[in-house]
Amino acid sequence: MESIVDRIRSLKEKHNAVILAHNYCLAEVQDVADHVGDSLGLSIKASETDADVIVFCGVTFMAESAKILNPGKKVLMPEPEALCAMAAMCSPDQIDRARECHPGAEVVGYVNSTAACKARMDVCCTSSNVVEIVGGLGTKDVIFVPDKNLGAYSASKCADKDVHLWTGFCPIHQCITAEQVRRLKEAYPGAPVVAHPECRPDVLALADHIGSTEKMIGISNRSDSEDIIIVTEVGMKHRLEKECPGKRFHFPEYAVCSAMKMTTLDSVLHALETLDGEVVLDKDVLDRAYLPVKRMIGE
Ligand code: 13P
Ligand code: SF4
């Protein structure tokens, strides 16, 4: 009998589809994907693909970004209810009101936001290019939505900017405490700490390296240490162990994003069998969000 992976592969060929998966997805979903990466890398892949169908394994803002960048493609989400909790922490109206409070400020939005919010931003960024994007703005005043931690991190690196922070956060990264990281450092003395910039400032203060999920792989590969403390969601372990053989990775407990775990091989198969779960966005939102998202990928 044909395995589920074989069925996915043959349907992928039939529909000329490409499967993109985020680094936090389940291991078996990552393994069936054509490309696995961080938000920036996957957005670039989505914008460049020749495929007719993009199957996006991750959360809704990622699939929406793919649609914004490549609106002619059919973008499918195997689990259309997989929502990033942080993306719900900002609304388009709130952005308009923030602009009224800070006239002349540019609005930088983390890609972890809804398409409707992106349509109100000047430029989007990811955790991988936030410092370059904020640092490269023409204005001193910056409104940064929705992640207060990523915004504070960018402000710490761009001293000439006045960054007005939002109140949003990632519940998974926000729950990781400095005490947890200190305990990991005691358990693995000398192990470098690599943290995601969505972490709280007191956690980032303990980090030797700060970077996106994709950057964590390069940092770990270059490290001389066999033990590495990774301060982010635990799905990251799969790629790290695959791509950095001989190294051991240690994570804080309980850092699990349930939205990222919703997509299973069954749901990928269902999406390819039925072509259900298509991402549909308002034409006005698509048009207005295009430039901020295009600026994010550097074009
Ligand atoms: P990356 O772009 O670093 O993969 O981050 C996405 C994300 O949602 C982290 O919580
Ligand atoms: Fe959103 Fe946090 Fe999950 Fe990333 S880990 S998708 S920021 S809820």
Side-chain angles (χ1 to χ4, degrees):
M1 208 180 97
E2 218 187 1
S3 73
I4 187 161
V5 171
D6 289 340
R7 283 158 70 199
I8 289 172
R9 293 211 169 114
S10 57
L11 283 166
K12 210 174 60 137
E13 216 161 292
K14 175 178 164 197
H15 295 301
N16 187 26
V18 66
I19 301 178
L20 306 182
H22 186 264
N23 287 321
Y24 294 162
C25 283
L26 294 173
E28 59 270 28
V29 171
Q30 294 190 30
D31 289 344
V32 85
D34 298 288
H35 305 287
V36 183
D38 66 1
S39 308
L40 184 63
L42 294 176
S43 290
I44 293 170
K45 290 289 178 199
S47 74
E48 291 173 344
T49 188
D50 291 332
D52 297 316
V53 177
I54 300 172
V55 179
F56 214 116
C57 307
V59 288
T60 47
F61 78 79
M62 297 179 173
E64 287 176 354
S65 301
K67 184 70 185 175
I68 291 164
L69 284 164
N70 213 336
K73 306 292 177 185
K74 189 187 271 290
V75 179
L76 302 181
M77 271 206 83
E79 291 293 341
E81 303 294 319
L83 306 173
C84 165
M86 189 196 316
M89 295 183 188
C90 179
S91 76
D93 287 353
Q94 286 177 311
I95 295 179
D96 291 347
R97 287 200 293 276
R99 278 191 195 276
E100 282 165 24
C101 293
H102 303 285
E106 285 203 80
V107 177
V108 180
Y110 191 22
V111 68
N112 297 37
S113 51
T114 63
C117 280
K118 288 184 172 83
R120 302 290 226 280
M121 296 168 184
D122 294 304
V123 55
C124 290
C125 70
T126 74
S127 60
S128 157
N129 62 12
V130 62
V131 175
E132 291 80 356
I133 298 266
V134 172
L137 293 172
T139 58
K140 181 173 168 59
D141 259 355
V142 179
I143 299 166
F144 192 96
V145 300
D147 187 357
K148 63 179 179 180
N149 293 332
L150 190 69
Y153 171 68
S154 76
S156 75
K157 298 281 174 194
C158 305
D160 60 324
K161 301 293 178 199
D162 204 350
V163 183
H164 305 286
L165 298 177
W166 208 251
T167 52
F169 55 87
C170 162
I172 288 84
H173 288 87
Q174 186 72 11
C175 283
I176 300 173
T177 64
E179 188 48 37
Q180 278 180 297
V181 178
R182 271 194 287 271
R183 279 203 296 270
L184 284 167
K185 280 165 75 87
E186 270 164 36
Y188 305 101
V193 175
V194 186
H196 196 278
E198 286 176 16
C199 291
R200 291 150 39 153
D202 60 339
V203 168
L204 294 183
L206 297 171
D208 300 291
H209 307 274
I210 296 170
S212 76
T213 57
E214 194 65 30
K215 286 191 176 167
M216 287 177 168
I217 294 168
I219 293 166
S220 300
N221 258 323
R222 288 189 296 275
S223 171
D224 294 332
S225 178
E226 285 181 357
D227 287 294
I228 303 179
I229 297 166
I230 301 285
V231 191
T232 194
E233 207 269 355
V234 70
M236 207 45 230
K237 198 168 192 184
H238 182 60
R239 258 195 87 195
L240 284 165
E241 287 182 342
K242 232 172 140 173
E243 295 184 29
C244 312
K247 301 209 161 148
R248 295 177 294 266
F249 297 97
H250 311 284
F251 286 71
E253 284 176 306
Y254 314 121
V256 182
C257 175
S258 50
M260 284 287 190
K261 307 302 181 223
M262 285 174 73
T263 307
T264 62
L265 287 183
D266 276 340
S267 52
V268 174
L269 179 64
H270 179 81
L272 281 165
E273 276 174 345
T274 60
L275 303 184
D276 280 351
E278 183 170 0
V279 175
V280 180
L281 294 174
D282 242 40
K283 165 111 179 53
D284 182 51
V285 167
L286 269 179
D287 291 347
R288 288 174 65 180
Y290 180 74
L291 202 60
V293 181
K294 196 79 177 160
R295 286 178 75 190
M296 173 186 90
I297 66 167
E299 289 167 37

